[in-house]
Amino acid sequence: MSVSVLSLTRPLDTVSGLLQLASLLGLALLLLKAAQLYQRRQWMLKAIQQFPSPPSHWFFGHKQEFQTGLELQELKKRTEKYPCASPRWLWGSKVILVVYDPDYMKMILGRSDPKSEGAYRFMAPWIGYGLLLLNGETWFQHRRMLTPAFHYDILKPYVRLMADSVQVMLDKWEELLSQNSHLEIFEHVSLMTLDTIMKCAFSYQGNHQADRNSQSYIQAIKDLNYLVFSRVRNVFYQKDIFYWLTSEGHRNHKACQLAHQHTDRVIKLRKAQLQEEGELEKVRNKRHLDFLDILLLAKMENGRGLSDKDLRAEVDTFMFEGHDTTASGISWILYTLATHPEHQQRCREEIQSLLGDGASITWEHLDQMPYTTMCIKEALRLYPPVPSVGRELSKPITFPDGRSLPRGFLVSLSFYALHHNPNVWPKPEVFDPSRFAPDAARHSHAFLPFSGGSRNCIGQHFAVNEMKVAVALILLRFELAPDPFRIPVPTPRIVLMSKNGIHLHLRKLL
Ligand code: HEM
């Protein structure tokens, strides 16, 4: 009997001993981590001592600014109170310098700092390491390889395709409006811009605006916009191993799968078409290479083609960047014109005198709508589709006012705050297209919807053309008015969205 009691207690002793040891080790690790975080916080506090900011909680940082839903309002207040830039604590051990001054922007965009790890890394499971996320030499090679896809000769015939996609959307609007004059436009515009990029960059035929696959892709992108943004700001979502176990992690995984199904379909079909068309050289001679052709035929400097993974990353990147940004741009432009009927009418008159019924809009027309162009720019100032971008300083920086930051510091270039900074744009909330009159002077880095420097937007000419075509054709067919009961609330995600959609009243013009 006594032998069996002894034999039972010994293992128990061993187990409890092991548990004690594990707890001690755990505690030691916890203390070590706490010491590291404390040291990091001290380093950050020292680095930003020359940059005042609103008071922040030692653990939650400026979290309440994000939670009120009035984040952009808070940002505007900062531009009035704290000149040039101010730190924003995401939590106790993570701070970012938010920049909204043209000289600061110019300095940072003139360097070659990499994209900040945190925010961009969280987009990688979705868009992979394509042009948007790549850094260094590989980025340079890809940029050089893809730049010809945006040459004027390639962009010219796209105007026709863009106009066709817009007309499909407008026909649908006419049908819907026979029941109700009110419409939430963001989703319709997203389907239209997706249709356009599919036809232009990926030679994908058909009507995607009524297609269920396109609709579920758009929904996946909407979810990912929210999920990536939410992850960036949550201290508990930083480590992959924990994040993918959370319900948001599951949703993210599912949305990525949906997005990839869409892009895989496009690649597969195009590859099959290329096979049918015969040898690659024949294709080269037959017509201009679109974006996907360039990728499929690409030979990198080492003579090898793009790997399937790299190819997918570029397709995912351009599928997203090529439609969501322009959807945001066009939707906010329409909202701005709806709330400023006198400018809307002036644009319409300009377009009517140029195009008549608009049936044959061409590349040549796009440079002949100066007032509409000014209104588009002013709307992009008020509602920049990409509200901010991030960089991690690869070497120390000293700004023109003498303040400095060390290597490794994170900066957020807030185009939204820059465009609403009263020191840069007097009365920034007023919609005043004359700010963009040909003779109006401004700082080279006061207006940056497409960013600047070597990592500016590769698709900006494509985007501007698409916005002009869409605005021109929409104004010819409809009169726009805001819905006074549903004023949109701008919300920063990867692109600028509205928390409650963008609701307009539309009246068909005869
Ligand atoms: C109104 C529409 C658009 C806006 C406001 C916009 C804005 C921007 C901005 C601000 C950046 C810099 C991002 C960063 O530094 O992280 C960027 C980069 C980029 N954009 Fe756009 N974009 C638009 C449309 C497009 C279109 C239509 C395409 C493709 C057809 C496109 C493709 C890209 C790509 C691939 C990059 C990464 C470029 C690089 O890093 O080399 N964008 N865009």
Side-chain angles (χ1 to χ4, degrees), residues 109 115 120 130-134 139 143 146 150 197 201 314 317-319 321-330 380 384-391 415 448-452 454-460 462-464 466-467:
L109 291 172
K115 307 262 171 119
Y120 290 91
L131 203 57
L132 187 70
L133 301 199
L134 282 171
W139 164 77
R143 178 97 186 194
L146 292 171
F150 295 91
I197 197 74
E314 291 302 358
T317 298
F318 278 79
M319 190 72 79
E321 275 283 327
H323 94 277
D324 211 25
T325 47
T326 42
S328 168
I330 293 167
L380 290 176
V386 177
S388 64
V389 300
R391 298 287 185 268
F415 303 133
L448 293 173
F450 297 105
S451 189
S454 58
R455 297 220 61 168
N456 68 351
C457 175
I458 196 173
Q460 63 180 291
F462 180 102
V464 169
E466 187 176 7
M467 289 188 287

Side-chain angles (χ1 to χ4, degrees), residues 159-173 188-189 191-193 195-196 199 209 330 334 361 465-475 477-478:
V159 174
R160 187 68 261 147
L161 298 174
M162 289 169 177
D164 289 347
S165 294
V166 178
Q167 299 293 12
V168 170
M169 177 180 77
L170 297 184
D171 291 345
K172 192 166 65 169
W173 284 7
H188 290 279
V189 176
L191 278 168
M192 182 274 286
T193 53
D195 189 26
T196 306
K199 285 180 177 149
Q209 298 185 55
I330 293 167
L334 295 182
I361 187 166
N465 294 347
E466 187 176 7
M467 289 188 287
K468 285 184 181 176
V469 170
V471 170
L473 298 185
I474 292 169
L475 290 187
R477 256 165 92 174
F478 293 101

Side-chain angles (χ1 to χ4, degrees), residues 35-106:
Q36 272 176 351
L37 290 177
Y38 177 77
Q39 234 179 7
R40 187 159 175 75
R41 183 173 162 84
Q42 292 310 106
W43 176 76
M44 288 172 170
L45 283 168
K46 189 160 171 248
I48 54 155
Q49 61 190 354
Q50 300 161 301
F51 295 92
S53 73
S56 67
H57 186 275
W58 70 269
F59 182 70
F60 294 114
H62 289 109
K63 198 171 173 134
Q64 89 275 17
E65 271 188 26
F66 315 137
Q67 280 176 334
T68 53
L70 296 174
E71 182 177 344
L72 294 174
Q73 302 297 334
E74 295 295 331
L75 206 51
K76 285 192 238 173
K77 283 191 207 152
R78 281 174 178 246
T79 64
E80 286 164 23
K81 216 165 158 192
Y82 308 103
C84 306
S86 66
R88 178 184 255 179
W89 290 90
L90 293 187
W91 53 84
S93 60
K94 185 153 187 184
V95 67
I96 294 175
L97 187 79
V98 183
V99 171
Y100 34 77
D101 172 79
D103 286 325
Y104 273 47
M105 293 273 177
K106 193 172 173 186

